């Protein structure tokens, strides 16, 4: 293997070669700080296993937003649909797809992972996974614009500014005067772009911004209690899938009728929202199309004969599906 050896890493990290081996392979009884420091030194030195025929034609995919905490992203309809389509697209190009766990802690495999290329989903600010993969020279394509893109980066995303403005305009046309945004949980481009678009729209239309920070554990929507009690909000745009159910629960608790007292639009791929009472208006980000586009672009980056994918953004349109939750009865009875 060319490049730095275990002995080189051991000297730089001031530990034994046995400690380096344990740190890189996730074995042994090491503290998290020691394991992390050794892996960071290895990344800085450019250490990484060489690809072998045994592991060729393998792509990796990882959800790195909220890094450092283990969470089951497969429970989220967006990620479930995206990964299903990504797997099918990878297989159609002759690649296996390895889905990595959502963690960037000391036990994470980023410093020793052997793949041809990686698809990163919702890479946040100062993403340690992204740093490790860049240092090792592994080809990347992003789902969602990287916060700090480099020349040559390729990402697939929606136009979140246009989508946010479309939703807000839709809610305003329904009669909403005090539209709140539930967002702000992550530090990826998606959250940042939606928040900026919301603030700009409010400024242009003389509205006062009203923010709610999404809490995945607030299943009853208690974060809305104060505002719903005071009746100082008549519409909510929530950009995470569970947010719609949180609003429905809070509205029921406070006796708010949807859509007469409170309009609601939720970003979600969950078909159950079409069956709630009332049916909830949703925005689909089209994750299946995003996955197909991203995996195809990654395969193109890896092929010595295929033309390289365009650099920068590959845009997939999002679609607003208006339902009863954002249309008062007297305006659009046909949408029931």
């Amino acid at each position: 293997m060319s490049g730095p050896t275990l002995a080189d890493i051991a000297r730089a990290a001031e530990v034994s070669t046995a400690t380096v081996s344990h740190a890189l392979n996730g074995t042994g009884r090491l503290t998290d700080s020691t394991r992390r420091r050794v892996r960071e030194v290895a990344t800085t030195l450019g250490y990484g296993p060489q690809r072998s025929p045994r592991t060729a034609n393998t792509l990796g995919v990882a959800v790195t937003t909220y890094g450092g905490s283990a969470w089951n992203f497969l429970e989220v309809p967006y990620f479930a649909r995206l990964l299903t389509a990504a797997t099918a697209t990878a297989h159609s190009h002759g690649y296996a797809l390895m889905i990595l766990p959502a963690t960037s802690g000391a036990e994470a495999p980023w410093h020793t992972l052997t793949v041809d290329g990686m698809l990163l989903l919702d890479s946040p600010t100062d993403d340690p996974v992204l740093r490790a993969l860049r240092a090792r020279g592994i080809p990347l394509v992003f789902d969602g614009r990287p916060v700090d893109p480099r020349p040559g980066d390729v990402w697939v995303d929606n136009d979140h500014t246009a989508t946010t403005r479309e939703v807000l305009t839709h809610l305003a046309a329904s009669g909403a005067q005090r539209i709140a945004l539930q967002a702000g949980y992550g530090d990826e481009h998606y959250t940042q772009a939606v928040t900026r678009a919301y603030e700009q729209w409010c400024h242009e239309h003389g509205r006062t911004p009203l923010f709610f920070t999404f809490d995945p554990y607030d299943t009853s929507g208690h974060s809305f209690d104060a505002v719903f009690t005071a009746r100082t909000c008549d519409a909510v745009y929530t950009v995470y899938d569970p947010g719609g159910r949180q609003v429905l629960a809070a509205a029921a608790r406070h006796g708010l009728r949807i859509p007469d007292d409170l309009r609601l639009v939720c970003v979600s791929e969950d078909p159950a929202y079409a069956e709630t009472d009332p049916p909830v208006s949703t925005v689909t980000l089209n994750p299946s199309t995003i996955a197909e586009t991203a995996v195809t672009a990654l395969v193109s980056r890896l092929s010595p004969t295929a033309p390289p994918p365009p650099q920068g953004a590959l845009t997939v349109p999002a679609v607003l599906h208006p339902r009863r939750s954002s249309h008062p009865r007297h305006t659009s009875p046909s949408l029931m």
Side-chain angles (χ1 to χ4, degrees):
M1 180 183 297
S2 60
T5 64
L6 296 186
D8 296 328
I9 298 169
R11 282 192 294 271
E14 298 181 344
V15 295
S16 68
T17 55
T19 296
V20 172
S21 178
H22 286 312
L24 297 181
N25 291 293
T27 58
R29 295 184 178 181
L30 306 180
T31 64
D32 283 350
S33 59
T34 297
R35 199 180 301 275
R36 185 180 303 108
R37 179 166 58 88
V38 170
R39 290 186 170 192
E40 288 175 351
V41 169
T43 296
T44 301
L45 295 179
Y47 176 83
Q50 299 295 312
R51 207 179 78 179
S52 67
R54 180 172 55 87
T55 56
N57 292 337
T58 300
L59 305 178
V61 59
V63 182
T64 60
T65 193
Y66 324 132
S69 60
W71 61 289
N72 185 8
F73 49 83
L74 288 170
E75 292 179 343
V76 179
Y78 175 88
F79 293 116
R81 291 195 177 193
L82 185 144
L83 292 170
T84 297
T87 302
T89 306
H91 290 175
S92 72
H93 289 285
Y95 283 86
L97 185 71
M98 182 188 305
I99 301 174
L100 280 302
T103 178
S104 60
E107 73 281 8
W110 316 115
H111 302 271
T112 56
L113 180 68
T114 304
V115 292
D116 296 85
M118 281 288 298
L119 174 60
L120 289 189
L121 280 60
D122 289 339
S123 177
T125 299
D126 197 27
D127 185 355
V129 176
L130 176 57
R131 287 201 307 271
L133 297 176
R134 285 199 194 278
R136 293 181 53 199
I138 293 178
L140 303 168
V141 167
F142 300 86
D143 165 20
R145 180 184 184 274
V147 176
D148 186 21
R150 293 184 179 182
D153 279 349
V154 177
W155 62 90
V156 184
D157 206 352
N158 313 103
D159 186 339
H160 299 301
T161 298
T163 302
T164 300
R165 296 180 71 89
E166 179 185 5
V167 170
L168 297 175
T169 300
H170 166 74
L171 289 169
S174 77
Q177 297 294 319
R178 300 173 302 279
I179 306 172
L181 175 70
Q182 188 197 41
Y185 183 63
D187 192 25
E188 75 286 354
H189 173 72
Y190 171 53
T191 297
Q192 296 178 9
V194 171
T195 301
R196 285 195 300 267
Y198 170 74
E199 291 176 326
Q200 181 62 33
W201 187 92
C202 288
H203 174 75
E204 292 173 2
H205 292 82
R207 310 286 181 98
T208 301
L210 176 60
F211 293 99
F212 293 94
T213 299
F214 172 71
D215 178 354
Y217 303 105
D218 182 20
T219 56
S220 298
H222 287 294
S223 63
F224 296 99
D225 283 347
V227 170
F228 284 5
T229 297
R231 301 298 199 266
T232 54
C233 166
D234 62 4
V236 177
Y237 178 37
T238 173
V239 301
Y240 297 110
D241 173 80
R245 289 182 287 276
Q246 294 177 3
V247 173
L248 292 174
R253 191 168 59 251
H254 289 275
L256 292 173
R257 298 167 301 163
I258 295 177
D260 298 316
D261 301 320
L262 181 72
R263 286 77 159 169
L264 170 62
V265 177
C266 176
V267 176
S268 177
E269 312 302 327
D270 188 350
Y273 275 120
E275 305 299 328
T276 56
D277 184 19
V280 172
S281 300
T282 56
V283 172
T284 175
L285 303 179
N286 286 319
S288 295
T289 304
I290 287 177
E292 293 165 6
T293 306
V295 171
T296 299
L298 182 56
V299 170
S300 294
R301 298 199 77 169
L302 299 172
S303 172
T305 58
Q311 297 180 11
L314 302 173
T315 304
V316 172
V319 178
L320 169 64
H321 294 291
R323 300 189 181 101
R324 283 283 303 120
S325 72
S326 60
H327 284 275
R329 298 184 191 278
H330 64 274
T331 59
S332 299
S334 63
L335 292 172
M336 293 182 64

